[in-house]
Amino acid sequence: MSCPICSKNTDEDYRPFCSRRCADVDLGRWLNGSYCVPAETSEDLDEAANALADAQKKLSSRPH
């Protein structure tokens, strides 16, 4: 599997990315709106916001 950001081989600690840098680039793209999840109801938006918050917590808890 290759990193979706830079196409290098993935690292087990950062899958599906190759490094923390690429994981952070991906997170930044989500946070600035480069990526979006289509939603039709407010419940969809709440679910997407909760998933993003969970992803942020997982990334911040990883060792540097």
Side-chain angles (χ1 to χ4, degrees):
M1 173 182 250
S2 62
C3 176
I5 302 300
C6 71
S7 300
K8 292 180 182 177
N9 289 332
T10 59
D11 182 305
E12 189 66 32
D13 291 336
Y14 299 103
R15 278 191 81 167
F17 307 103
C18 67
S19 65
R20 182 177 177 116
R21 179 200 163 276
C22 284
D24 288 345
V25 167
D26 185 71
L27 179 59
R29 289 178 181 174
W30 278 104
L31 293 175
N32 75 17
S34 294
Y35 301 143
C36 63
V37 177
E40 295 183 17
T41 66
S42 62
E43 290 84 19
D44 290 340
L45 294 173
D46 291 340
E47 185 177 323
N50 289 338
L52 180 58
D54 290 344
Q56 287 175 304
K57 288 177 189 174
K58 286 179 184 177
L59 282 176
S60 66
S61 67
R62 288 185 174 177
H64 300 290

